[in-house]
Amino acid sequence: MRTVNIHEAKTHLSRLIDKAAKGESFIIARSGKPMVKVVAVDAPAAGETRRVGFMAGQFSVPDDFDRMAGEEIEKLFGGDA
């Protein structure tokens, strides 16, 4: 994570805010000592984990998923199917 001093933060505040809004958080330091961390408002909270299966029921996988387009794939990789 990038660390900037207070003077640099004041000079480039707009640019730094744009980057933070896009997910590039940064730390503002005073005399080399970290003071604050700037993150986007919608950034996940520290320690928050994303669960596997959070989209359960929102889409389906066909039963033949592992066999779909088998002949085409064999042809692409040198098979004579």
Side-chain angles (χ1 to χ4, degrees):
M1 182 175 306
R2 182 175 178 192
T3 300
V4 297
N5 64 37
I6 291 176
H7 177 73
E8 181 181 358
K10 290 188 327 186
T11 303
H12 302 289
L13 187 60
S14 294
R15 181 176 51 86
L16 292 169
I17 288 173
D18 288 341
K19 287 185 175 189
K22 293 176 184 173
E24 298 179 38
S25 55
F26 63 95
I27 294 173
I28 298 176
R30 176 186 291 150
S31 301
K33 180 181 175 191
M35 300 301 290
V36 296
K37 179 179 177 182
V38 180
V39 297
V41 171
D42 59 353
E48 183 178 310
T49 57
R50 296 185 183 236
R51 297 180 335 238
V52 172
F54 70 96
M55 293 186 70
Q58 295 185 20
F59 62 92
S60 62
V61 177
D63 292 333
D64 66 342
F65 175 77
D66 59 338
R67 295 181 304 276
M68 292 172 63
E71 291 180 13
E72 291 88 358
I73 293 171
E74 284 186 45
K75 286 179 184 176
L76 287 170
F77 290 97
D80 294 326

